[in-house]
Amino acid sequence: GIEGVLEAYHHSLRRVQLYGPTNFAPVVNYVARSAAEVLDGSQYFVLLIITDGVISDMAQTKEAIVNVSPL
């Protein structure tokens, strides 16, 4: 549930250091491949994107999110 997502978020913040370049499109596409394997609705996937606002591949990231949104 949402509590688990928030717990994972808070846990991650204590363990990662953000730095660039920031390329999200490969991560979006990787998670999408996993989600595409589960089409019966028995699982759901949450991809939390944390950024300082400087995304190096913004056009590719937008395109990836739009393309995988049906999943």
Side-chain angles (χ1 to χ4, degrees), residues 9-69:
Y9 168 74
H10 290 292
H11 179 77
S12 296
L13 282 179
R14 293 188 296 270
R15 302 204 182 302
V16 299
Q17 180 178 359
L18 302 176
Y19 60 94
T22 306
N23 296 308
F24 285 125
V27 176
V28 172
N29 290 322
Y30 177 82
V31 173
R33 285 192 294 276
S34 297
E37 295 177 6
V38 184
L39 297 178
D40 64 358
S42 63
Q43 296 180 33
Y44 65 93
F45 294 80
V46 175
L47 176 59
L48 175 64
I49 297 175
I50 302 172
T51 181
D52 59 2
V54 181
I55 300 174
S56 303
D57 66 340
M58 181 63 84
Q60 295 90 343
T61 298
K62 287 179 183 179
E63 182 179 349
I65 291 170
V66 169
N67 290 340
V68 304
S69 63

